[in-house]
Amino acid sequence: MANLPTYAIVADIGGTNARFSRVDLTTLALDKVAVYACADFASLAAALIHYQTEQQLMLMKHVAIAIACPVNGDQISMTNFHWQFSVNAMQRQLGLEALLVINDFTAVAMCLPALNAEQKVQVGAGEIQQGKPMLVLGAGTGLGVAYLLKIDDTFIPLPSEGGHTEFAVQTEQEWFIKQQLAKEYGHVSAERILSGPGLEAIFNALARYRGQDVAPTSAAQIAAQALTGKSELAKDSVNQFFASLGSVAGDLALTLSTFGGVYIAGGITPKLLPLMADSEFRSRFETKGRLSAFNRQIATYVVTAAQPGLVGAAVYLKQFLASN
């Protein structure tokens, strides 16, 4: 630990925005946070150089990047944006001593042990069992999924593409929504429902299901209309979103017996938190036939921390540097 640099740069790269921050590796405190539109830069390297220049951090040589795509080696290709790069080539280009690139939800998973009581809100029953596997999932531009294991004093993140598993329907309404999406995409994944575009897809499909004509409506507009009660269709769309989220979260919890807790992150759910308690989220999470009593024991939380991806990238970098 004595050889750790005091400061490093961390980044959280989504399909829409790129977030950068300096981090104090002793306290994990973030400062000099900047958010840029990915579309404003030709490459991730260009965005990082811009951040370093703007914040006068050109001498910093340790960087950890959380990014919204699979990370399976040196070549990185974003799922919902056009940036592609080689980690090794980028490290050489920027003259960095360390450049770690991890999946964005691997980073969110790594932040879970660092969350305090004010940075998470429990939904429903269940209790945390210390040392047991944890699950994080969250809807934003896509649907991120990751697990976290603790072995001795080391946290081991397990990145997952569980957001791309088949969306399983339980009601006639969900069957209709899935059929509408299947006409456009063929395979209908959980991400097609549980994301910003997914909320819009639910809204449009529900309108057709009810024989209503609606103008094009963004996910942000749907959320606002649901929260203010101005639109019954918007509120029902959000309720459907939470019901589906509960089902998917419950399935993913079963796959690794996540008695360390299930954590809902991403950009959408925290904003809709006032509507979550009265939704079917928790009941659908628990309703797993013969394993319903199993899932009832598992606690579910919404992560309300402002920058979980940045904190998780910092935790990952600190753990990596301390062990090398």
Side-chain angles (χ1 to χ4, degrees), residues 3 23 30 35 48 57 59 77 107 117 121 164 184 216 242-243 265 305 313 320:
N3 295 324
V23 60
L30 303 173
V35 183
L48 176 55
L57 300 175
L59 297 179
S77 180
V121 175
H164 295 278
E184 187 171 357
F242 278 135
F320 173 83

Side-chain angles (χ1 to χ4, degrees), residues 292-314:
S292 294
F294 185 94
N295 266 22
R296 276 198 291 272
Q297 301 172 69
I298 299 174
T300 49
Y301 294 86
V302 174
V303 176
T304 56
Q307 304 288 358
L310 294 177
V311 173

